[in-house]
Each structure stands twice: as C-alpha cells, then as structure tokens.
Amino acid sequence: MNLIVEKKYFSPNVAMLRIEAPRIAKARRAGNFVIVRADAHGERIPLTIASADITQGTITLVVQGVGNSSQKIINLNEGEYIHDVVGPLGRPTEVERIGTVVCAGGGVGVAPLLPIVEAFHAKGNRVIVVLAARTKELIILEEEMKQVSDEVIIMTDDGSLGKKGLVTEGIESVIQREHVDKCVTIGPAIMMKFVSALTAKHNIPTVASLNTIMVDGTGMCGACRVTIGGERKFVCVDGPEFDAHQVDFDELLMRLRSYKDLGQ
C-alpha cells in the first residue's frame, strides 16, 4: 500500500499524484516506469515516473483518465492509498554530455520527459524543450521544465499559448538557428512519427519512448510488441526508449488503434 501525499489536477482528466515509495525513489533513473494497481482487483497500469524525491521518499506520477482503471487511480485522494506500486522497471535513458539536446513532448508525454530533461541538463548539455498540445489548458509542467532546461518553446494548435503550430514547427525553428546533437520525443505515436521524420531529414539522432503501448509491463502479455529496425522487440523489457528512426510507426499506430475501445 502506497500513501498518496499530494494530488492536483492539470486538467479535468489529468492528475498528478505524489506517493510514498522510498525504495523506488532511491533506485529510479530517468526513463524508468512503475506498475500500479488502484485496488486489489484493479488492472495493472504502467506509468512512467515523472520525478522522485529521495529525501521525502516519494515519486510523482501523472495519470490520464482514459478508462475504468486509470479513472480509479485519478479518483483517489490525498490520504488514501494506491494498492501496490512495483518498480522501477524498464531500461533507463542513456544520458551523456553531447552538446545540444531538443526534448519534445506532447500531452501527458511531457511528464515522463521531465526527468530526462533534468538528467541531460545535469550532465552539462544545452537542453531546449518543445511542449505541444491542442490548447493552453493541456500544457503541463511548463514551470518545472523551465527550472531544468535552457529554453522552453510552447506550441499550441489554436495559438492560445506560445506559438500557433505543431511540435515539429517548434523543433524546426531550433534546427534552423543552431546545431542540434540529439532529440528525445515522448507523446502520441503520431506526433513521434512526424518528429522522427523531421529529424531523420536533418540526420539528428532521435530517441522515442513507446510507453503508451505497454499493458502488463513484464513481457508476459506480448501486447507491447513493436518492430525496431526489422526486429521484434517488447517495449516493457527492451525499452521503453528506442532509436526513433528504426521504429515502424505505421505498425505501432495500427496496433494502438486495436486497443482504442479498451482503454485502461
């Protein structure tokens, strides 16, 4: 049982939960995720760790209500308990000092991007963050990103915050003005597909996190099978991060559509 010590809403359907998990907080690295169950009969949901506080022994999760199980978690309040949290799981992000890194996040994908931004910045890289959403209400963690990066660019479809346009336009504006050594992207699969296509055109090494397709999180269910460079991989045990230019995004999008009506 893990105590919820803080809860706040980013939007009516997206909540941040800070929970007690001292061992996970101590062991986690950027890119790791946990498996969460709201109650004894709940489904297992993989959630990437947005941040951790070793001193307080807490980890922060950002949850979007897209089905019964995730909605159960969102409905829990401060002082209540999540039935169980297992982790850290997955391969951590490979972080090194390489120069200028552009980190592009869309929607709730911004949450798992935060520790990656922090880690690259701590290594001495110049880190430029591009956050994208349909409207300003859906932009999350802007202030937190500003604290651990050199620049934050906001892109909204309707122009209600930052610049009007897509995430790729924000990335392109950076590429046109300075050299970019690496790109990291987390968000909807269709967004990552177009980010990958853009960076491939400019020969910029790119990493994409495919965590949205995970279900069981242990490699047992096989639901997160993806094709990377022509080889079959499992996101939960081989990832969740892969070379974006090797990902078969068309296959990934097709498989995600098969789960459209079965959201957790």
Side-chain angles (χ1 to χ4, degrees):
M1 304 284 280
N2 298 79
L3 177 67
I4 300 171
V5 298
E6 183 184 1
K7 175 186 178 182
K8 69 177 181 180
Y9 283 94
F10 290 130
S11 69
N13 206 36
V14 179
M16 180 278 288
L17 301 176
R18 189 163 61 88
I19 64 174
E20 287 186 347
R23 293 184 178 179
I24 297 175
K26 186 176 181 179
R28 73 97 200 192
R29 292 172 62 189
N32 285 150
F33 66 93
V34 291
I35 294 292
V36 177
R37 286 198 305 163
D39 54 46
H41 304 289
E43 293 178 283
R44 297 160 52 87
I45 300 177
L47 296 170
T48 307
I49 303 168
S51 65
D53 188 317
I54 297 176
T55 302
Q56 296 187 19
T58 61
I59 62 172
T60 299
L61 306 174
V62 175
V63 189
Q64 181 177 25
V66 294
N68 291 333
S69 296
S70 52
Q71 196 62 52
K72 280 184 180 180
I73 296 175
I74 287 182
N75 290 341
L76 294 172
N77 295 307
E78 292 178 15
E80 295 184 316
Y81 291 84
I82 292 178
H83 190 272
D84 50 41
V85 180
V86 178
L89 301 170
R91 296 178 180 271
T93 306
E94 294 183 7
V95 180
E96 57 185 340
R97 186 170 183 175
I98 54 176
T100 298
V101 182
V102 171
C103 295
V108 292
V110 172
L113 190 65
L114 178 59
I116 296 172
V117 170
E118 186 176 12
F120 272 107
H121 194 258
K123 281 285 188 180
N125 295 287
R126 171 169 164 77
V127 182
I128 301 169
V129 177
V130 181
L131 304 181
R134 294 192 305 276
T135 67
K136 65 179 181 180
E137 290 80 14
L138 299 178
I139 294 290
I140 65 173
L141 299 173
E142 177 184 357
E143 292 305 315
E144 290 84 350
M145 285 293 189
K146 287 180 178 178
Q147 294 174 18
V148 293
S149 65
D150 295 279
E151 181 183 357
V152 175
I153 297 171
I154 306 293
M155 305 295 298
T156 50
D157 291 357
D158 62 0
S160 55
L161 184 65
K163 300 177 182 178
K164 183 177 181 179
L166 302 175
V167 65
T168 47
E169 294 175 83
I171 298 171
E172 183 77 54
S173 70
V174 178
I175 295 172
Q176 293 303 321
R177 75 182 191 211
E178 61 186 284
H179 176 76
V180 175
D181 296 283
K182 188 169 188 174
C183 178
V184 179
T185 181
I186 307 179
I190 189 66
M191 183 203 89
M192 294 189 290
K193 175 182 176 179
F194 285 106
V195 169
S196 176
L198 171 63
T199 57
K201 183 175 68 174
H202 293 281
N203 297 311
I204 299 171
T206 301
V207 172
S209 178
L210 309 185
N211 52 32
T212 54
I213 199 173
M214 291 192 296
V215 178
D216 178 77
T218 64
M220 297 294 289
C221 70
C224 67
R225 296 189 308 276
V226 290
T227 301
I228 310 294
E231 296 184 5
R232 185 60 50 86
K233 301 287 184 180
F234 292 89
V235 172
C236 61
V237 293
D238 297 315
E241 297 172 6
F242 298 95
D243 179 344
H245 301 155
Q246 297 297 313
V247 176
D248 186 336
F249 279 106
D250 291 333
E251 177 192 64
L252 174 63
L253 286 163
M254 180 177 66
R255 298 195 65 243
L256 283 170
R257 282 194 293 269
S258 69
Y259 300 126
K260 186 176 181 180
D261 298 324
L262 299 174
Q264 295 176 323

